[in-house]
Amino acid sequence: MRDIYGDTALYFASSLGSRAMAKELLAAGSATDLVNITGYSPLAVAVKRKHVAVVEILLKYNAKCIPENPDGLRKIRNEIRYLQSK
């Protein structure tokens, strides 16, 4: 289920940094790679807001680095590497 902006419950959990909610939603089978109307996936918003614990959970569930455009993808990958190095 999505809201009018294409956001899912997993997107909200990721944007809020709610590790517990993200784990529950993923365990229940939530899709990791759905993007909203602005092109953000749960992983992208978790990285943008520096929610390291949620990023780690999403990566364990094989979330992809979305958006697909090279600049956005490169930025997200670099931020993930930076967050993982801490």
Side-chain angles (χ1 to χ4, degrees):
M1 178 175 267
R2 295 175 179 229
D3 69 8
I4 61 171
Y5 304 105
D7 295 334
T8 63
L10 183 58
Y11 178 90
F12 282 114
S14 299
S15 69
L16 295 172
S18 178
R19 184 175 188 245
M21 187 185 306
K23 284 178 84 171
E24 288 292 323
L25 291 165
L26 289 163
S30 289
T32 59
D33 300 329
L34 298 176
V35 296
N36 65 11
I37 62 173
T38 61
Y40 275 88
S41 66
L43 179 59
V45 75
V47 168
K48 180 181 178 182
R49 296 194 178 180
K50 299 184 179 8
H51 297 308
V52 178
V54 176
V55 169
E56 290 171 346
I57 292 165
L58 289 166
L59 291 174
K60 286 179 186 175
Y61 278 84
N62 299 313
K64 304 291 184 272
C65 290
I66 296 173
E68 296 281 332
N69 72 65
D71 289 332
L73 184 59
R74 189 175 313 110
K75 182 178 179 184
I76 289 171
R77 284 184 178 154
N78 288 341
E79 287 191 45
I80 289 171
R81 285 187 193 115
Y82 173 76
L83 292 173
Q84 288 177 328
S85 71
K86 291 189 162 214

